[in-house]
């Protein structure tokens, strides 16, 4: 079982919709979490960090639930340009801060 | 964008030949990583480095070796390439490897082993 699990999707939503992704992690010792965005045939790029208190950046909100061991990403007012794969990352388990990636969730925003 | 350069960007090689991929950074970051990305598997860690001459294995290290003789360069070598090593390879760097240290990626190397 992978340490970080995501629903691969695809999530197919119309422009303007609100969409949410969850990511579960198996290692309760994981300390830090991030969401990355990856466009087709490109490198992953950091979207936002995830804090216990929640983190909002414009239309994007990330939350961490340590009790249930999941993180979430909420995208409001979806744009066509939001179409991409979103990767969940955990790090900091066992004293190691090596980033561990989920397989990614594909989002397709259509007109 | 973080200064990370991977070379080559594309390579086709024959089974059984050695291949070396290079990752070069201008950020003076301590940690460097090599991942491979395949459909259905996502990004999997091959090897990583936490300093000059300090390296360790990742999840899928069999068939790969690495070297880091300078802070800025991290080399990944396939000693004898196999078709199962056809993949997209990403190098990443992070400043400290600490709790809040996010990773930055190079543009990737698309390797095909025929």
């Amino acid at each position: 079982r992978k340490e970080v699990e995501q629903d691969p999707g695809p999530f197919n939503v119309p422009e303007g919709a609100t969409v949410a992704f969850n990511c579960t992690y198996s290692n309760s010792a994981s300390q830090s979490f991030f969401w990355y965005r990856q466009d087709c045939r490109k490198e992953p790029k950091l979207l936002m960090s995830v804090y216990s208190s929640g983190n909002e950046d414009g239309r994007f909100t990330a939350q961490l639930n340590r009790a249930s061991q999941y993180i979430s990403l909420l995208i409001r007012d979806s744009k066509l340009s939001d179409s991409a794969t979103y990767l969940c990352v955990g790090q900091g388990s066992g004293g190691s801060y090596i980033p561990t990636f989920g397989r990614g969730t594909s989002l397709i925003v259509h007109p | 964008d973080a200064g990370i350069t991977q070379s080559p960007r594309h390579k086709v090689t024959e089974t059984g030949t050695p291949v070396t991929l290079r990752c070069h950074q201008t950020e003076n970051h301590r940690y460097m990583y090599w991942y491979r990305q395949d459909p259905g598997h996502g990004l999997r860690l091959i090897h990583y480095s936490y300093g000059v001459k300090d390296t360790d294995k990742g999840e899928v290290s069999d068939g790969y070796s690495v070297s880091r003789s300078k802070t800025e360069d991290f080399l990944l070598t396939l000693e004898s390439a196999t078709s199962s090593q056809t993949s997209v390879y990403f190098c990443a760097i992070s400043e400290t490897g600490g709790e809040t240290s996010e990773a930055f990626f190079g543009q990737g190397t698309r390797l095909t082993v025929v």
Side-chain angles (χ1 to χ4, degrees), chain B residues 43-92:
Chain B
L43 282 158
R44 293 181 292 175
L45 182 68
I46 305 171
H47 281 278
Y48 69 98
S49 169
Y50 47 97
V52 174
K53 292 185 169 44
D54 292 322
T55 65
D56 207 347
K57 295 179 179 180
E59 179 186 356
V60 290
S61 60
D62 287 349
Y64 301 94
S65 62
V66 290
S67 67
R68 190 164 177 205
S69 58
K70 298 184 289 185
T71 299
E72 57 266 34
D73 289 326
F74 192 32
L75 305 181
L76 176 71
T77 298
L78 290 66
E79 302 291 347
S80 178
T82 67
S83 58
S84 64
Q85 292 176 312
T86 292
S87 187
V88 179
Y89 292 85
F90 286 103
C91 173

Side-chain angles (χ1 to χ4, degrees), chain A residues 3 5 7 9 12 14 16 22-23 25 33 36 39 44 52 79 87 96 100 106:
Chain A
E3 208 168 296
E5 297 273 8
D7 179 348
N12 205 318
N22 278 348
C23 166
Y25 60 95
F33 301 91
Y36 281 72
D39 294 294
S52 296
K79 311 292 184 189
L87 304 169
S96 165
T100 301
S106 175

Side-chain angles (χ1 to χ4, degrees), chain A residues 2-105:
Chain A
K2 267 188 87 72
E3 208 168 296
V4 179
E5 297 273 8
Q6 294 181 251
D7 179 348
F11 285 65
N12 205 318
V13 303
E15 266 186 297
T18 295
V19 61
F21 310 135
N22 278 348
C23 166
T24 59
Y25 60 95
S26 59
N27 193 328
S28 60
S30 294
Q31 298 294 321
S32 306
F33 301 91
F34 304 90
W35 282 102
Y36 281 72
R37 172 194 169 124
Q38 186 174 24
D39 294 294
C40 188
R41 302 175 79 86
K42 299 283 191 180
E43 73 274 23
K45 293 189 177 180
L46 180 69
L47 179 66
M48 58 198 307
S49 304
V50 187
Y51 306 126
S52 296
S53 56
N55 187 22
E56 186 172 320
D57 183 4
R59 297 182 294 108
F60 298 83
T61 300
Q63 294 277 357
L64 166 62
N65 185 319
R66 288 197 184 273
S68 301
Q69 294 186 209
Y70 76 86
I71 70 172
S72 63
L73 178 67
L74 181 77
I75 305 175
R76 291 179 298 276
D77 189 23
S78 298
K79 311 292 184 189
L80 295 176
S81 57
D82 293 335
S83 297
T85 296
Y86 292 84
L87 304 169
C88 168
V89 180
Q91 62 189 54
S93 61
S96 165
Y97 292 99
I98 307 303
T100 301
F101 287 79
R103 293 192 177 97
T105 297

